[in-house]
Amino acid sequence: MPGPPSNPPSSGRTTYTELGSDGRALSPAWKRDQQVVVEARTSASAPVVFELKGTDGRSVAVDGVPYTSGCAARQCVRATLPLWKPRMDAARGALTLVVTARTSTGVPTVFEQALPVTRWKWAYSVFDGASGSDSNRLDSSPGIGANGTVYVTTYYTQVVAVSPSGRALWNSPLQGEGAPIPSVQADGRELLYVRSYAEINGNSGHQLYVYDLASRSLVGQCPSRLNNGLWFDSMVLGTSNGGENAFAVTYGSSGAVLALGPGSSSRSGACAFVQRDVKSSERGNLAYRDNALFFSGPSSRVMSFETNSFLPRSGWPVMSASTSGANGLAFHGDVLVMGEGDASSTSSSGGISTTSTTSPQTAVMRYAGGAVSMPSVGAGGVLFGVDVREGRLVRMPTGGGSATVSKERGLGNNLAPTLGQGGLVYAMQSGVVGVWSAADLSLQWLWSWRGSRLADTVPPVLDCTRDEQGVPIAGRPGVLYASLFNELHALVVDSAGLDADAPWPKQQHDQRNTGNAATPVLRCP
C-alpha cells in the first residue's frame, strides 16, 4: 500500500501544499481525482476481493488483476483504486480500502487501510495579498477557454491566464474587471473579451476590449476613447447583423448600447457606440437570446433591444413583479426568469418571477419569500436562487408550487447558484465553497479558505478534469475554480462539469461567461 505522494514544491505563484486553519501545511493526501495502485499477496487460493469504502459506509467493488512477476506468494493481485467513485461527503477525509481473502473452507482474512483524500488541488496567487491594496480583488467568475485555460480578472491590476495544472500562461497589465469571455473564431483564432475600468485625463469609466490570445495582442476596444461616467454592470456575447459581438448597456449620466466585434486577423475589431435613452439599473444583469439583449432598467422595468438595429423591441419594457425591480436574468426556453427585489436590503420584498420573451406580458411571481439574487435554471425548468433575507438557497418549479430552502444561511446574495452534473448545486459564503443536493438542498460538504481576509462571494465555475494537453479525461470527476480575494483555487468535485442539460446552469450561463442562451454548455466525456 503506497503512501500519498509528497506535495510538489511551490512554483512561481502556484502552491500545491494544502494549509490548515492555523496556516501550517497539512500532511500529504491523495487527490480525489487520482488512482492508487495497491497489491495483495496471500497463501489463499480463492479470489481476492477489493472494495473501496466511502464516508457513507458504502463500498465500491474494484477489480483485481493477478500477476506473477516478482510474486513469492501463492497468489498476487494488483488493483487500481479510483478515488472519485465512493461517496465522500467532505472536503478532506478518509476512504477505506478493504481487501478480503478466504481459505478453501471459507474463513476470511480481512485487511483494512484508511486513505487520506483531499479535494483541494492547488492555489494560484494572482496578486500579492499582503501588498496593502485592500481595494484590489478577484470579483468575478473565471472563464474557461480552449484546452481548459482559466482566465481571471482583478479589480485593479491585470488579466491572467492559468493552465488546468495551475501554471501561469499569460497576463496583461490591463485593468480587467467583470467576468472574462473566451471565444474561438471560425478561423481558429481564440479571442478574449474583457471589460476594464480606467481613469484617463480626469475621466473615469469602463471600456470593452478584445484580445487575440495567439499573438497576446489587443485588437479592439469600445469606445475608442473613454467617456466620463460610462458604467456598465455586465457583458454578454451574441451576434449583430450576422457577426459576433460583445455587448454592454451603460448606466449613469447617459445611456448607450455598446457592441465590440472581433475584426479579422488583418483588421482591428469594430466598435458600435449607440446613444439611447436606456439608463440601465446599476444592478442590471444583462442576458442575450435570439438577436436581442435583455436587461433590468429603471422604475422596475425589464428592457429589451434588437442587436441588429439597437432599437427597443416591440412590447418592451415589461414591468417587474417587484417594485424593487430585477437583480438578474436567466432563460428557460422563451421564458425570461428574473431574480426580484433589492439585493442590498434584507427587508426588501421580491422573489423569482417569469415572463414570456415572445409575447410580452406582466411578469408572474413564482416565489415571493423575499428578494432573490440572480437565478439559475436547472433541467426540467427548476429555478434556483439565493434568498437575500437569510442567504439561503431557494429551489422551486418554473410553474410555481411549494419552494424548498436550505437550512444553511449566509450565502452570497449577489450571485447565482452554479449547477453541476449529477444533481449538485454549488454556492459560496465569504471564503467558503458549499455543495448541496439539487433535489432537496441537503448539504453535502463545505470547504473553507484558509486565508485571513474575507473574500467576495464570486460564483464558481466547473470544468472537466483534463490531462497535461488540456484534453478532458473520460470518466473522471470535475474541477471547480473558485476566486477568493487574491487567489484562484482548484477543487475536485463530483460533478463532471456544469449540468449540460440545464437551460441556464450558472451566472452568465456557461463556462465561457457568454450570457447567451444558445451557447453550448460543455458536456464532459
Side-chain angles (χ1 to χ4, degrees), residues 249-455:
V249 177
T250 71
Y251 64 87
S253 59
S254 63
V257 179
L258 285 77
L260 177 61
S264 66
S265 56
S266 60
R267 180 172 57 85
S268 297
C271 169
F273 181 80
V274 183
Q275 298 279 167
R276 286 283 185 264
D277 184 23
V278 291
K279 289 201 171 183
S280 169
S281 164
E282 185 172 346
R283 293 182 286 117
N285 181 247
L286 187 64
Y288 175 93
R289 183 177 185 270
D290 294 341
N291 295 311
L293 297 173
F294 297 81
F295 57 95
S296 60
S299 304
S300 303
R301 296 182 298 168
V302 178
M303 309 180 76
S304 183
F305 274 70
E306 296 282 356
T307 55
N308 292 332
S309 64
F310 299 108
L311 294 174
R313 295 176 65 225
S314 176
W316 294 80
V318 169
M319 295 301 296
S320 302
S322 168
T323 56
S324 298
N327 296 315
L329 310 176
F331 286 106
H332 175 219
D334 64 359
V335 173
L336 180 66
V337 181
M338 298 166 282
E340 302 264 4
D342 185 354
S344 65
S345 171
T346 57
S347 63
S348 172
S349 62
I352 301 175
S353 65
T354 61
T355 189
S356 170
T357 60
T358 55
S359 55
Q361 56 189 341
T362 301
V364 178
M365 186 68 75
R366 300 299 183 188
Y367 167 78
V372 170
S373 68
M374 300 179 187
S376 296
V377 185
V382 179
L383 310 180
F384 294 87
V386 176
D387 189 316
V388 170
R389 291 182 179 179
E390 296 184 313
R392 298 182 190 232
L393 279 175
V394 175
R395 176 194 186 278
M396 71 170 310
T398 303
S402 60
T404 302
V405 296
S406 66
K407 294 180 180 178
E408 292 69 36
R409 298 175 171 86
L411 299 177
N413 60 12
N414 57 349
L415 54 79
T418 299
L419 310 181
Q421 284 292 124
L424 296 174
V425 181
Y426 301 82
M428 294 186 68
Q429 297 173 328
S430 181
V432 179
V433 176
V435 187
W436 289 261
S437 165
D440 60 7
L441 298 186
S442 58
L443 180 66
Q444 307 298 294
W445 53 269
L446 295 171
W447 173 82
S448 297
W449 183 42
R450 305 305 181 185
S452 60
R453 299 175 185 250
L454 294 178

Side-chain angles (χ1 to χ4, degrees), residues 1-5 27-32 34 36 83 88 92-96 113-119:
M1 182 80 192
S27 58
W30 295 98
K31 309 298 186 187
R32 173 73 162 158
Q34 290 181 321
V36 181
L83 299 184
M88 181 173 159
R92 182 183 174 100
L95 303 178
T96 305
Q113 175 70 47
L115 288 84
V117 178
T118 182
R119 295 181 180 274

Side-chain angles (χ1 to χ4, degrees), residues 99-123:
V99 186
T100 305
R102 295 180 181 274
T103 65
S104 57
T105 60
V107 178
T109 297
V110 180
F111 170 86
E112 292 192 6
Q113 175 70 47
L115 288 84
V117 178
T118 182
R119 295 181 180 274
W120 187 87
K121 291 172 67 71
W122 50 260

Side-chain angles (χ1 to χ4, degrees), residues 126-138:
V126 180
F127 62 91
D128 183 4
S131 64
S133 178
D134 292 333
S135 297
N136 200 14
R137 60 191 182 275
L138 304 180

